[in-house]
Amino acid sequence: MAKKSEQAEEAVVRTRAPEQYPWHDDLWQMTRGAMMRLPHALLLHGLPGLGKQAFGLRLARSLLCLTPNGAGDACGSCKSCALLDAGTHPDIAMVTTLADSKVISVDQIRELTDFMSLKPHTATRKVAVLWPAHVMNVNAANSLLKMLEEPPAGSFLLLVSDQAGRIPATVRSRCARVIFRPPARDEAMRWLEDTRGTQSDNVSLLALAGGAPLAAAVFAETGWIEQRDSLLTDLENLAGHRDTPCACASRWKSAGAEPAVDAVYGLAADLVRLGTAGPGASVSAPELRDRLQHILQSIELKKLYHFLDAVSEVRNLLRTPLDQLLLIEDLLIRWQRVVPHIV
Ligand SMILES: [Zn+2]
């Protein structure tokens, strides 16, 4: 019973009016203006942390609203908008991974196809938002392709992804692309300052996030810079044999394997930059420069490149059903081989 009410609550949150971000303004006008001339499937893609999903929902709401305003946004007061706010609109489908799965399955896409083929109930069309689109498995993508080849009349499908390259080309080619790019630095900084105040680490958070303001805010909330510091301490301890790959892997897995390995990738890439361009090289973790420089003294650059490749591979493998603990442990054993001499 509790689970059901949680799901209902989630459905309400999912279709409620999303936040609007200033860096979407131009893209919104362009997309909303061209909507009726575009194919019935859009692929919203770009770096994480740019608000693509919020944009997709904003678009979905505006397509379902019975009386959109002058800017093309949902009015917020018609019958359709009220149903969206209540999470009970019969003409929208929000498709994402189920709680116990990393992929969007063929069953979910079949269900979506059935939903889309029915006539709209309240609005004048049916809309589906599907994210992250790159986690559809092969069968799901093939099933979606069939729908894209013969789109039900009056339906709109909005695919959202920050790794569009992982979506089969056959699917991508049937979608109009809406590309999200990081806003100008000043605009991003302004938003970050409005959101979390003028903080000394805003600049480094934004750099860490590749200029994506929402990602920078998440890094701030989750204490990412502190976490990265602690991951480097783990790597130093492993190099000095004061910790074991097994114990360390277990901690990383509990804390979240993917963010940890992403951070290690950033640190390894910084080591490569310092190793090739010298101590003044631009790095993603400037506050850790001296410690990285110290580690670099006992690493062969060639081995470091191999390690960076290994981290990259593990990042991809973590998204598969393989055992995360073993993947991380193996990576940390490699790390110990790369830096055998640090004290
Ligand atoms: Zn409305």
Side-chain angles (χ1 to χ4, degrees):
M1 194 65 193
K3 198 170 178 197
K4 222 171 191 178
S5 69
E6 275 167 31
Q7 282 171 351
E9 175 58 24
E10 205 178 321
V12 172
V13 171
R14 277 184 184 169
T15 55
R16 218 178 257 163
E19 182 105 23
Q20 292 185 10
Y21 301 106
W23 59 89
H24 285 172
D25 288 354
D26 291 346
L27 201 57
W28 175 258
Q29 279 179 20
M30 211 170 68
T31 312
R32 192 64 186 86
M35 202 63 206
M36 295 309 153
R37 299 191 300 276
L38 292 173
H40 285 198
L42 296 191
L43 172 58
L44 280 52
H45 68 100
L47 279 182
L50 293 173
K52 297 181 293 296
Q53 201 183 321
F55 188 97
L57 178 55
R58 183 181 173 189
L59 204 51
R61 286 178 58 99
S62 85
L63 289 166
L64 293 173
C65 173
L66 303 174
T67 53
N69 65 23
D73 270 303
C75 72
S77 54
C78 70
K79 184 183 172 196
S80 206
C81 285
L83 289 169
L84 284 164
D85 288 342
T88 52
H89 202 296
D91 299 320
I92 188 168
M94 306 290 281
V95 183
T96 188
T97 51
L98 300 173
D100 52 354
S101 174
K102 287 183 185 173
V103 300
I104 292 176
S105 70
V106 66
D107 287 343
Q108 288 177 277
I109 301 298
R110 283 192 189 127
E111 212 175 294
L112 175 66
T113 307
D114 291 346
F115 166 84
M116 293 295 251
S117 61
L118 296 172
K119 282 212 167 76
H121 189 272
T122 301
T124 54
R125 51 180 71 98
K126 308 275 268 193
V127 180
V129 185
L130 190 151
W131 83 99
H134 55 267
V135 304
M136 275 185 291
N137 64 22
V138 177
N139 290 341
N142 284 337
S143 179
L144 188 78
L145 188 58
K146 281 186 207 139
M147 195 199 327
L148 292 174
E149 282 166 346
E150 293 170 35
S155 66
F156 276 96
L157 180 62
L158 308 174
L159 305 180
V160 181
S161 172
D162 45 43
Q163 294 174 47
R166 292 176 60 199
I167 301 172
T170 44
V171 170
R172 272 183 281 144
S173 67
R174 282 175 172 78
C175 301
R177 288 177 172 230
V178 181
I179 305 171
F180 288 70
R181 296 198 167 85
R185 193 172 168 280
D186 286 354
E187 188 176 17
M189 280 301 288
R190 238 187 342 265
W191 182 85
L192 210 50
E193 281 171 10
D194 287 349
T195 305
R196 63 185 300 261
T198 308
Q199 306 271 356
S200 58
D201 56 357
N202 279 349
V203 173
S204 43
L205 285 166
L206 195 61
L208 182 65
L214 298 174
V218 169
F219 287 149
E221 266 171 40
T222 54
W224 174 262
I225 288 183
E226 293 78 7
Q227 280 179 38
R228 185 169 64 178
D229 189 307
S230 123
L231 288 168
L232 183 60
T233 304
D234 284 346
L235 292 178
E236 288 164 341
N237 285 337
L238 284 165
H241 292 272
R242 295 181 294 276
D243 196 356
T244 65
C246 175
C248 189
S250 167
R251 289 198 308 275
W252 286 16
K253 185 176 178 246
S254 313
E258 290 180 35
V261 174
D262 283 350
V264 170
Y265 183 84
L267 293 171
D270 278 354
L271 282 168
V272 168
R273 284 187 205 108
L274 291 168
T276 49
S282 163
V283 289
S284 69
E287 76 283 6
L288 303 175
R289 184 186 297 273
D290 291 347
R291 287 163 67 189
L292 292 169
Q293 200 61 47
H294 178 69
I295 292 174
L296 202 55
Q297 288 168 6
S298 36
I299 302 186
E300 271 178 54
L301 204 52
K302 201 174 91 186
K303 286 187 179 171
L304 193 54
Y305 278 118
H306 288 156
F307 180 70
L308 188 64
D309 286 344
V311 185
S312 175
E313 195 186 342
V314 169
R315 273 174 116 185
N316 291 329
L317 291 174
L318 283 176
R319 300 190 195 104
T320 68
L322 289 175
D323 186 334
Q324 294 195 330
L325 192 64
L326 290 180
L327 287 169
I328 301 174
E329 191 178 345
D330 181 56
L331 187 67
L332 297 178
I333 292 170
R334 282 172 191 237
W335 169 250
Q336 282 191 318
R337 288 192 194 129
V338 173
V339 276
H341 305 303
I342 292 187
V343 184

